[in-house]
Amino acid sequence: MEPLALSLTKNEISEVEGLLYSNSKDPYSVKFGYQIFQRDLNTLREGNWLNDNIINCFVHLAQEEAETQGIKSYCFNSFFYKKLSSNGYASVRRWTKNVDLFSYNRIIIPINTNNVKGRCKLFIFVDSLDDELH
């Protein structure tokens, strides 16, 4: 699996820095049903905790990128694992009621590591076996 990484130009870096230090109250972006506000962008500053809006938007961006490469992906939001681990399968059963998870090549599950790994969230990418093995 190739990492999702990109290089920014000097102009793009300046734009990002301007966004991180802005005081705007308006949404910066609306994508995948998530409104990204300045307070969300502030979590991208070094040493800050990423919030659920940023995590969920990133996960959907990863899904979108994978699908441009022909990898059929399904992603859960950042609340899935916490609910599953604390309340069991019954609490998340309806989340995939109309979804055939076995039809996807990749399942993306964001997991909050609860300070075990420092200031980050951990993502699990579950790739299916090669089609030749099915």
Short mmCIF file of all heavy atoms in Angstrom, two decimals, residues 55-114:
data_model
loop_
_atom_site.label_atom_id
_atom_site.label_comp_id
_atom_site.label_asym_id
_atom_site.label_seq_id
_atom_site.Cartn_x
_atom_site.Cartn_y
_atom_site.Cartn_z
N ILE A 55 -10.22 13.86 11.57
CA ILE A 55 -9.99 12.43 11.37
C ILE A 55 -10.98 11.87 10.36
O ILE A 55 -10.61 11.17 9.41
CB ILE A 55 -10.11 11.65 12.70
CG1 ILE A 55 -9.00 12.06 13.66
CG2 ILE A 55 -10.13 10.15 12.47
CD1 ILE A 55 -7.61 11.68 13.21
N ASN A 56 -12.25 12.16 10.54
CA ASN A 56 -13.28 11.61 9.64
C ASN A 56 -13.12 12.12 8.22
O ASN A 56 -13.29 11.37 7.26
CB ASN A 56 -14.67 11.91 10.18
CG ASN A 56 -14.97 11.11 11.43
OD1 ASN A 56 -14.52 9.99 11.58
ND2 ASN A 56 -15.72 11.68 12.34
N CYS A 57 -12.78 13.39 8.07
CA CYS A 57 -12.57 13.93 6.73
C CYS A 57 -11.34 13.27 6.08
O CYS A 57 -11.38 12.89 4.91
CB CYS A 57 -12.40 15.44 6.80
SG CYS A 57 -12.62 16.25 5.21
N PHE A 58 -10.27 13.09 6.86
CA PHE A 58 -9.07 12.43 6.33
C PHE A 58 -9.37 11.00 5.88
O PHE A 58 -8.93 10.56 4.83
CB PHE A 58 -7.94 12.42 7.36
CG PHE A 58 -6.76 11.61 6.90
CD1 PHE A 58 -5.86 12.14 6.00
CD2 PHE A 58 -6.59 10.30 7.33
CE1 PHE A 58 -4.79 11.38 5.54
CE2 PHE A 58 -5.52 9.54 6.88
CZ PHE A 58 -4.62 10.08 5.98
N VAL A 59 -10.13 10.29 6.70
CA VAL A 59 -10.47 8.90 6.36
C VAL A 59 -11.24 8.85 5.04
O VAL A 59 -10.98 8.00 4.19
CB VAL A 59 -11.27 8.25 7.52
CG1 VAL A 59 -11.89 6.94 7.10
CG2 VAL A 59 -10.37 8.03 8.72
N HIS A 60 -12.18 9.77 4.86
CA HIS A 60 -12.93 9.81 3.61
C HIS A 60 -12.05 10.22 2.43
O HIS A 60 -12.23 9.72 1.32
CB HIS A 60 -14.13 10.74 3.74
CG HIS A 60 -15.29 10.10 4.43
ND1 HIS A 60 -15.43 10.11 5.80
CD2 HIS A 60 -16.34 9.41 3.94
CE1 HIS A 60 -16.53 9.46 6.12
NE2 HIS A 60 -17.10 9.02 5.01
N LEU A 61 -11.09 11.10 2.68
CA LEU A 61 -10.14 11.44 1.61
C LEU A 61 -9.30 10.22 1.23
O LEU A 61 -9.03 10.00 0.05
CB LEU A 61 -9.22 12.59 2.05
CG LEU A 61 -9.85 13.97 2.09
CD1 LEU A 61 -8.90 14.97 2.76
CD2 LEU A 61 -10.20 14.44 0.68
N ALA A 62 -8.90 9.43 2.22
CA ALA A 62 -8.14 8.20 1.94
C ALA A 62 -8.99 7.23 1.14
O ALA A 62 -8.51 6.59 0.20
CB ALA A 62 -7.69 7.55 3.26
N GLN A 63 -10.26 7.14 1.47
CA GLN A 63 -11.18 6.28 0.73
C GLN A 63 -11.32 6.77 -0.71
O GLN A 63 -11.25 5.98 -1.66
CB GLN A 63 -12.56 6.26 1.40
CG GLN A 63 -13.60 5.49 0.62
CD GLN A 63 -14.99 5.59 1.25
OE1 GLN A 63 -15.20 6.31 2.22
NE2 GLN A 63 -15.93 4.86 0.70
N GLU A 64 -11.49 8.06 -0.88
CA GLU A 64 -11.64 8.64 -2.21
C GLU A 64 -10.38 8.40 -3.06
O GLU A 64 -10.46 8.03 -4.23
CB GLU A 64 -11.90 10.14 -2.08
CG GLU A 64 -12.25 10.84 -3.36
CD GLU A 64 -12.58 12.30 -3.10
OE1 GLU A 64 -11.64 13.09 -2.82
OE2 GLU A 64 -13.76 12.66 -3.18
N GLU A 65 -9.22 8.58 -2.44
CA GLU A 65 -7.95 8.37 -3.15
C GLU A 65 -7.79 6.90 -3.54
O GLU A 65 -7.37 6.58 -4.65
CB GLU A 65 -6.77 8.81 -2.28
CG GLU A 65 -5.41 8.53 -2.88
CD GLU A 65 -5.15 9.25 -4.20
OE1 GLU A 65 -5.77 10.28 -4.48
OE2 GLU A 65 -4.29 8.75 -4.97
N ALA A 66 -8.11 6.00 -2.65
CA ALA A 66 -8.00 4.57 -2.94
C ALA A 66 -8.90 4.20 -4.11
O ALA A 66 -8.51 3.43 -5.00
CB ALA A 66 -8.36 3.74 -1.71
N GLU A 67 -10.09 4.76 -4.14
CA GLU A 67 -11.03 4.43 -5.20
C GLU A 67 -10.58 4.97 -6.56
O GLU A 67 -10.88 4.37 -7.59
CB GLU A 67 -12.44 4.90 -4.83
CG GLU A 67 -13.00 4.01 -3.72
CD GLU A 67 -14.37 4.43 -3.21
OE1 GLU A 67 -14.91 5.47 -3.66
OE2 GLU A 67 -14.90 3.70 -2.36
N THR A 68 -9.80 6.07 -6.56
CA THR A 68 -9.25 6.55 -7.84
C THR A 68 -8.22 5.57 -8.37
O THR A 68 -7.91 5.58 -9.56
CB THR A 68 -8.60 7.95 -7.72
OG1 THR A 68 -7.46 7.87 -6.88
CG2 THR A 68 -9.58 8.99 -7.22
N GLN A 69 -7.68 4.72 -7.49
CA GLN A 69 -6.71 3.70 -7.88
C GLN A 69 -7.38 2.34 -8.09
O GLN A 69 -6.71 1.32 -8.21
CB GLN A 69 -5.62 3.59 -6.82
CG GLN A 69 -4.83 4.87 -6.63
CD GLN A 69 -3.87 4.76 -5.46
OE1 GLN A 69 -3.53 3.68 -5.00
NE2 GLN A 69 -3.44 5.90 -4.97
N GLY A 70 -8.71 2.33 -8.11
CA GLY A 70 -9.44 1.09 -8.34
C GLY A 70 -9.57 0.20 -7.12
O GLY A 70 -9.90 -0.98 -7.24
N ILE A 71 -9.32 0.74 -5.94
CA ILE A 71 -9.43 -0.03 -4.71
C ILE A 71 -10.76 0.33 -4.06
O ILE A 71 -10.95 1.43 -3.57
CB ILE A 71 -8.27 0.28 -3.74
CG1 ILE A 71 -6.93 -0.02 -4.40
CG2 ILE A 71 -8.44 -0.51 -2.44
CD1 ILE A 71 -5.74 0.51 -3.64
N LYS A 72 -11.71 -0.61 -4.08
CA LYS A 72 -13.02 -0.36 -3.50
C LYS A 72 -12.88 -0.35 -1.98
O LYS A 72 -12.49 -1.35 -1.37
CB LYS A 72 -14.01 -1.44 -3.96
CG LYS A 72 -15.43 -1.13 -3.58
CD LYS A 72 -16.38 -2.16 -4.16
CE LYS A 72 -17.79 -1.86 -3.67
NZ LYS A 72 -18.71 -2.93 -3.99
N SER A 73 -13.19 0.81 -1.37
CA SER A 73 -12.95 1.00 0.06
C SER A 73 -14.21 1.40 0.80
O SER A 73 -15.09 2.05 0.25
CB SER A 73 -11.91 2.10 0.26
OG SER A 73 -10.72 1.78 -0.39
N TYR A 74 -14.26 1.01 2.06
CA TYR A 74 -15.33 1.44 2.95
C TYR A 74 -14.68 1.96 4.22
O TYR A 74 -13.75 1.34 4.75
CB TYR A 74 -16.25 0.26 3.29
CG TYR A 74 -17.44 0.69 4.12
CD1 TYR A 74 -18.57 1.20 3.53
CD2 TYR A 74 -17.40 0.60 5.51
CE1 TYR A 74 -19.66 1.60 4.29
CE2 TYR A 74 -18.47 1.00 6.29
CZ TYR A 74 -19.59 1.51 5.67
OH TYR A 74 -20.66 1.93 6.42
N CYS A 75 -15.15 3.10 4.70
CA CYS A 75 -14.57 3.63 5.94
C CYS A 75 -15.63 3.87 7.00
O CYS A 75 -16.75 4.28 6.69
CB CYS A 75 -13.77 4.89 5.67
SG CYS A 75 -14.69 6.26 5.01
N PHE A 76 -15.26 3.57 8.21
CA PHE A 76 -16.08 3.86 9.36
C PHE A 76 -15.67 5.23 9.90
O PHE A 76 -14.56 5.70 9.64
CB PHE A 76 -15.86 2.81 10.45
CG PHE A 76 -16.44 1.47 10.10
CD1 PHE A 76 -15.65 0.48 9.54
CD2 PHE A 76 -17.78 1.21 10.34
CE1 PHE A 76 -16.19 -0.75 9.23
CE2 PHE A 76 -18.32 -0.03 10.02
CZ PHE A 76 -17.52 -1.01 9.47
N ASN A 77 -16.54 5.85 10.69
CA ASN A 77 -16.14 7.12 11.29
C ASN A 77 -15.40 6.87 12.60
O ASN A 77 -15.28 5.73 13.06
CB ASN A 77 -17.33 8.07 11.46
CG ASN A 77 -18.31 7.64 12.52
OD1 ASN A 77 -17.94 7.05 13.54
ND2 ASN A 77 -19.57 7.94 12.31
N SER A 78 -14.90 7.92 13.19
CA SER A 78 -14.04 7.79 14.36
C SER A 78 -14.77 7.31 15.62
O SER A 78 -14.13 7.00 16.62
CB SER A 78 -13.36 9.13 14.66
OG SER A 78 -14.34 10.12 14.92
N PHE A 79 -16.08 7.23 15.57
CA PHE A 79 -16.83 6.77 16.74
C PHE A 79 -17.08 5.26 16.71
O PHE A 79 -17.47 4.68 17.72
CB PHE A 79 -18.18 7.51 16.82
CG PHE A 79 -18.01 8.99 16.89
CD1 PHE A 79 -18.25 9.77 15.78
CD2 PHE A 79 -17.58 9.60 18.06
CE1 PHE A 79 -18.08 11.14 15.83
CE2 PHE A 79 -17.41 10.97 18.13
CZ PHE A 79 -17.66 11.74 17.01
N PHE A 80 -16.85 4.63 15.57
CA PHE A 80 -17.17 3.21 15.40
C PHE A 80 -16.44 2.32 16.40
O PHE A 80 -17.05 1.54 17.13
CB PHE A 80 -16.87 2.76 13.96
CG PHE A 80 -17.05 1.28 13.75
CD1 PHE A 80 -18.31 0.74 13.59
CD2 PHE A 80 -15.95 0.44 13.74
CE1 PHE A 80 -18.48 -0.63 13.41
CE2 PHE A 80 -16.11 -0.93 13.56
CZ PHE A 80 -17.38 -1.45 13.40
N TYR A 81 -15.11 2.39 16.42
CA TYR A 81 -14.34 1.47 17.25
C TYR A 81 -14.62 1.68 18.74
O TYR A 81 -14.75 0.72 19.50
CB TYR A 81 -12.84 1.60 16.97
CG TYR A 81 -12.04 0.61 17.77
CD1 TYR A 81 -12.01 -0.73 17.39
CD2 TYR A 81 -11.36 0.99 18.91
CE1 TYR A 81 -11.30 -1.66 18.13
CE2 TYR A 81 -10.65 0.07 19.65
CZ TYR A 81 -10.62 -1.26 19.27
OH TYR A 81 -9.94 -2.18 20.00
N LYS A 82 -14.74 2.94 19.16
CA LYS A 82 -15.01 3.20 20.57
C LYS A 82 -16.34 2.58 20.98
O LYS A 82 -16.44 1.93 22.03
CB LYS A 82 -15.02 4.70 20.84
CG LYS A 82 -15.25 5.05 22.28
CD LYS A 82 -15.17 6.52 22.54
CE LYS A 82 -15.34 6.80 24.02
NZ LYS A 82 -15.23 8.20 24.34
N LYS A 83 -17.34 2.75 20.14
CA LYS A 83 -18.66 2.19 20.45
C LYS A 83 -18.61 0.66 20.43
O LYS A 83 -19.17 0.01 21.30
CB LYS A 83 -19.68 2.71 19.44
CG LYS A 83 -21.10 2.40 19.79
CD LYS A 83 -21.96 3.61 19.48
CE LYS A 83 -23.39 3.37 19.84
NZ LYS A 83 -23.74 3.88 21.14
N LEU A 84 -17.93 0.09 19.44
CA LEU A 84 -17.80 -1.36 19.35
C LEU A 84 -17.08 -1.93 20.56
O LEU A 84 -17.54 -2.91 21.16
CB LEU A 84 -17.05 -1.74 18.07
CG LEU A 84 -16.70 -3.20 17.88
CD1 LEU A 84 -17.96 -4.04 17.73
CD2 LEU A 84 -15.78 -3.38 16.68
N SER A 85 -15.96 -1.32 20.93
CA SER A 85 -15.16 -1.88 22.03
C SER A 85 -15.81 -1.67 23.39
O SER A 85 -15.61 -2.48 24.30
CB SER A 85 -13.75 -1.30 22.02
OG SER A 85 -13.79 0.10 22.22
N SER A 86 -16.60 -0.63 23.55
CA SER A 86 -17.21 -0.40 24.87
C SER A 86 -18.60 -1.02 25.00
O SER A 86 -18.99 -1.40 26.11
CB SER A 86 -17.27 1.09 25.19
OG SER A 86 -18.04 1.77 24.24
N ASN A 87 -19.35 -1.13 23.90
CA ASN A 87 -20.73 -1.61 24.00
C ASN A 87 -21.00 -2.89 23.21
O ASN A 87 -22.13 -3.37 23.20
CB ASN A 87 -21.70 -0.53 23.52
CG ASN A 87 -21.61 0.72 24.35
OD1 ASN A 87 -21.24 0.68 25.52
ND2 ASN A 87 -21.92 1.85 23.76
N GLY A 88 -20.00 -3.42 22.52
CA GLY A 88 -20.16 -4.67 21.80
C GLY A 88 -20.78 -4.52 20.42
O GLY A 88 -21.21 -3.44 20.01
N TYR A 89 -20.82 -5.63 19.72
CA TYR A 89 -21.29 -5.67 18.33
C TYR A 89 -22.71 -5.14 18.16
O TYR A 89 -23.02 -4.43 17.20
CB TYR A 89 -21.20 -7.09 17.79
CG TYR A 89 -21.87 -7.27 16.46
CD1 TYR A 89 -21.32 -6.72 15.30
CD2 TYR A 89 -23.08 -7.95 16.36
CE1 TYR A 89 -21.95 -6.85 14.08
CE2 TYR A 89 -23.71 -8.10 15.13
CZ TYR A 89 -23.14 -7.54 14.00
OH TYR A 89 -23.77 -7.67 12.80
N ALA A 90 -23.59 -5.44 19.10
CA ALA A 90 -24.99 -5.02 18.98
C ALA A 90 -25.12 -3.51 18.84
O ALA A 90 -26.03 -3.02 18.17
CB ALA A 90 -25.80 -5.51 20.18
N SER A 91 -24.19 -2.76 19.42
CA SER A 91 -24.26 -1.30 19.38
C SER A 91 -23.90 -0.72 18.02
O SER A 91 -24.22 0.43 17.73
CB SER A 91 -23.37 -0.69 20.45
OG SER A 91 -22.01 -0.94 20.16
N VAL A 92 -23.22 -1.50 17.17
CA VAL A 92 -22.82 -0.99 15.85
C VAL A 92 -23.40 -1.83 14.71
O VAL A 92 -23.13 -1.56 13.54
CB VAL A 92 -21.28 -0.91 15.70
CG1 VAL A 92 -20.69 0.10 16.66
CG2 VAL A 92 -20.64 -2.28 15.89
N ARG A 93 -24.18 -2.83 15.04
CA ARG A 93 -24.74 -3.73 14.03
C ARG A 93 -25.46 -2.97 12.92
O ARG A 93 -25.29 -3.24 11.75
CB ARG A 93 -25.67 -4.74 14.69
CG ARG A 93 -26.31 -5.72 13.72
CD ARG A 93 -27.20 -6.74 14.40
NE ARG A 93 -28.11 -6.12 15.33
CZ ARG A 93 -28.33 -6.57 16.57
NH1 ARG A 93 -27.72 -7.65 16.99
NH2 ARG A 93 -29.17 -5.95 17.36
N ARG A 94 -26.23 -1.97 13.28
CA ARG A 94 -27.01 -1.22 12.28
C ARG A 94 -26.13 -0.33 11.39
O ARG A 94 -26.57 0.13 10.36
CB ARG A 94 -28.10 -0.40 12.96
CG ARG A 94 -27.59 0.79 13.71
CD ARG A 94 -28.74 1.55 14.40
NE ARG A 94 -28.32 2.82 14.91
CZ ARG A 94 -27.52 3.03 15.95
NH1 ARG A 94 -27.04 2.01 16.61
NH2 ARG A 94 -27.21 4.24 16.34
N TRP A 95 -24.88 -0.08 11.80
CA TRP A 95 -24.00 0.79 11.02
C TRP A 95 -23.69 0.19 9.65
O TRP A 95 -23.33 0.92 8.74
CB TRP A 95 -22.71 1.06 11.79
CG TRP A 95 -22.89 1.89 13.02
CD1 TRP A 95 -24.00 1.98 13.82
CD2 TRP A 95 -21.92 2.74 13.61
NE1 TRP A 95 -23.77 2.82 14.86
CE2 TRP A 95 -22.49 3.31 14.77
CE3 TRP A 95 -20.61 3.06 13.30
CZ2 TRP A 95 -21.81 4.19 15.58
CZ3 TRP A 95 -19.93 3.95 14.11
CH2 TRP A 95 -20.53 4.51 15.24
N THR A 96 -23.78 -1.11 9.54
CA THR A 96 -23.50 -1.77 8.26
C THR A 96 -24.69 -2.60 7.80
O THR A 96 -24.52 -3.55 7.03
CB THR A 96 -22.25 -2.66 8.37
OG1 THR A 96 -22.45 -3.61 9.41
CG2 THR A 96 -21.00 -1.84 8.63
N LYS A 97 -25.86 -2.23 8.24
CA LYS A 97 -27.07 -2.99 7.93
C LYS A 97 -27.24 -3.20 6.43
O LYS A 97 -27.57 -4.28 5.97
CB LYS A 97 -28.29 -2.26 8.49
CG LYS A 97 -29.60 -2.97 8.24
CD LYS A 97 -30.75 -2.18 8.84
CE LYS A 97 -32.07 -2.86 8.54
NZ LYS A 97 -33.19 -2.09 9.05
N ASN A 98 -26.98 -2.17 5.63
CA ASN A 98 -27.15 -2.24 4.18
C ASN A 98 -25.82 -2.26 3.43
O ASN A 98 -25.74 -1.85 2.27
CB ASN A 98 -28.01 -1.07 3.69
CG ASN A 98 -29.39 -1.10 4.30
OD1 ASN A 98 -30.01 -2.16 4.36
ND2 ASN A 98 -29.86 0.04 4.77
N VAL A 99 -24.77 -2.71 4.11
CA VAL A 99 -23.42 -2.71 3.52
C VAL A 99 -22.86 -4.13 3.52
O VAL A 99 -22.84 -4.78 4.56
CB VAL A 99 -22.47 -1.79 4.32
CG1 VAL A 99 -21.07 -1.82 3.75
CG2 VAL A 99 -23.00 -0.37 4.37
N ASP A 100 -22.40 -4.59 2.37
CA ASP A 100 -21.72 -5.89 2.29
C ASP A 100 -20.23 -5.64 2.41
O ASP A 100 -19.54 -5.35 1.42
CB ASP A 100 -22.05 -6.57 0.96
CG ASP A 100 -21.31 -7.89 0.78
OD1 ASP A 100 -20.71 -8.39 1.77
OD2 ASP A 100 -21.31 -8.41 -0.35
N LEU A 101 -19.70 -5.71 3.62
CA LEU A 101 -18.28 -5.42 3.85
C LEU A 101 -17.36 -6.34 3.06
O LEU A 101 -16.25 -5.96 2.70
CB LEU A 101 -17.96 -5.51 5.34
CG LEU A 101 -18.54 -4.40 6.21
CD1 LEU A 101 -18.22 -4.65 7.68
CD2 LEU A 101 -18.03 -3.03 5.78
N PHE A 102 -17.82 -7.55 2.76
CA PHE A 102 -16.98 -8.50 2.03
C PHE A 102 -16.83 -8.13 0.55
O PHE A 102 -16.00 -8.70 -0.15
CB PHE A 102 -17.53 -9.92 2.19
CG PHE A 102 -17.46 -10.40 3.60
CD1 PHE A 102 -18.61 -10.45 4.37
CD2 PHE A 102 -16.25 -10.76 4.17
CE1 PHE A 102 -18.55 -10.87 5.69
CE2 PHE A 102 -16.18 -11.19 5.48
CZ PHE A 102 -17.33 -11.25 6.25
N SER A 103 -17.60 -7.16 0.09
CA SER A 103 -17.48 -6.73 -1.31
C SER A 103 -16.41 -5.65 -1.48
O SER A 103 -16.12 -5.24 -2.60
CB SER A 103 -18.83 -6.20 -1.82
OG SER A 103 -19.15 -4.97 -1.21
N TYR A 104 -15.80 -5.20 -0.39
CA TYR A 104 -14.79 -4.15 -0.44
C TYR A 104 -13.39 -4.75 -0.37
O TYR A 104 -13.17 -5.77 0.27
CB TYR A 104 -14.98 -3.16 0.72
CG TYR A 104 -16.24 -2.34 0.57
CD1 TYR A 104 -17.44 -2.78 1.09
CD2 TYR A 104 -16.22 -1.15 -0.13
CE1 TYR A 104 -18.60 -2.05 0.93
CE2 TYR A 104 -17.37 -0.41 -0.30
CZ TYR A 104 -18.55 -0.86 0.23
OH TYR A 104 -19.69 -0.13 0.07
N ASN A 105 -12.46 -4.07 -1.04
CA ASN A 105 -11.05 -4.48 -0.98
C ASN A 105 -10.38 -3.97 0.28
O ASN A 105 -9.40 -4.55 0.74
CB ASN A 105 -10.27 -3.92 -2.18
CG ASN A 105 -10.84 -4.35 -3.49
OD1 ASN A 105 -11.53 -3.58 -4.13
ND2 ASN A 105 -10.58 -5.58 -3.89
N ARG A 106 -10.87 -2.85 0.80
CA ARG A 106 -10.21 -2.22 1.95
C ARG A 106 -11.26 -1.68 2.90
O ARG A 106 -12.21 -1.04 2.50
CB ARG A 106 -9.32 -1.09 1.47
CG ARG A 106 -8.59 -0.39 2.60
CD ARG A 106 -7.62 0.63 2.10
NE ARG A 106 -6.55 -0.04 1.37
CZ ARG A 106 -5.75 0.55 0.52
NH1 ARG A 106 -5.88 1.83 0.26
NH2 ARG A 106 -4.81 -0.12 -0.10
N ILE A 107 -11.06 -1.95 4.18
CA ILE A 107 -11.88 -1.40 5.24
C ILE A 107 -10.98 -0.47 6.06
O ILE A 107 -9.89 -0.87 6.46
CB ILE A 107 -12.44 -2.50 6.17
CG1 ILE A 107 -13.14 -3.60 5.38
CG2 ILE A 107 -13.35 -1.90 7.24
CD1 ILE A 107 -14.36 -3.16 4.62
N ILE A 108 -11.43 0.75 6.28
CA ILE A 108 -10.63 1.73 7.02
C ILE A 108 -11.34 2.00 8.35
O ILE A 108 -12.49 2.41 8.37
CB ILE A 108 -10.46 3.03 6.22
CG1 ILE A 108 -9.86 2.74 4.85
CG2 ILE A 108 -9.62 4.03 7.01
CD1 ILE A 108 -9.87 3.92 3.89
N ILE A 109 -10.62 1.78 9.45
CA ILE A 109 -11.20 1.98 10.78
C ILE A 109 -10.28 2.91 11.58
O ILE A 109 -9.18 2.52 11.95
CB ILE A 109 -11.33 0.64 11.55
CG1 ILE A 109 -12.10 -0.38 10.72
CG2 ILE A 109 -11.99 0.87 12.91
CD1 ILE A 109 -12.03 -1.78 11.29
N PRO A 110 -10.73 4.15 11.83
CA PRO A 110 -9.91 5.03 12.69
C PRO A 110 -10.08 4.62 14.15
O PRO A 110 -11.18 4.33 14.60
CB PRO A 110 -10.48 6.42 12.43
CG PRO A 110 -11.85 6.19 11.90
CD PRO A 110 -11.89 4.81 11.30
N ILE A 111 -8.96 4.58 14.87
CA ILE A 111 -9.00 4.16 16.27
C ILE A 111 -8.28 5.20 17.12
O ILE A 111 -7.12 5.53 16.85
CB ILE A 111 -8.32 2.79 16.46
CG1 ILE A 111 -9.08 1.74 15.66
CG2 ILE A 111 -8.27 2.41 17.93
CD1 ILE A 111 -8.41 0.38 15.67
N ASN A 112 -8.95 5.69 18.14
CA ASN A 112 -8.31 6.58 19.10
C ASN A 112 -7.53 5.71 20.06
O ASN A 112 -8.09 4.84 20.72
CB ASN A 112 -9.39 7.39 19.84
CG ASN A 112 -8.78 8.37 20.81
OD1 ASN A 112 -7.63 8.28 21.18
ND2 ASN A 112 -9.58 9.33 21.23
N THR A 113 -6.24 5.95 20.14
CA THR A 113 -5.38 5.10 20.97
C THR A 113 -5.35 5.50 22.44
O THR A 113 -4.60 4.94 23.21
CB THR A 113 -3.94 5.08 20.40
OG1 THR A 113 -3.46 6.43 20.39
CG2 THR A 113 -3.90 4.49 19.03
N ASN A 114 -6.16 6.50 22.82
CA ASN A 114 -6.28 6.91 24.23
C ASN A 114 -4.93 7.15 24.90
O ASN A 114 -4.64 6.59 25.96
CB ASN A 114 -7.10 5.89 25.03
CG ASN A 114 -8.53 5.85 24.58
OD1 ASN A 114 -9.12 6.89 24.26
ND2 ASN A 114 -9.10 4.67 24.50
#
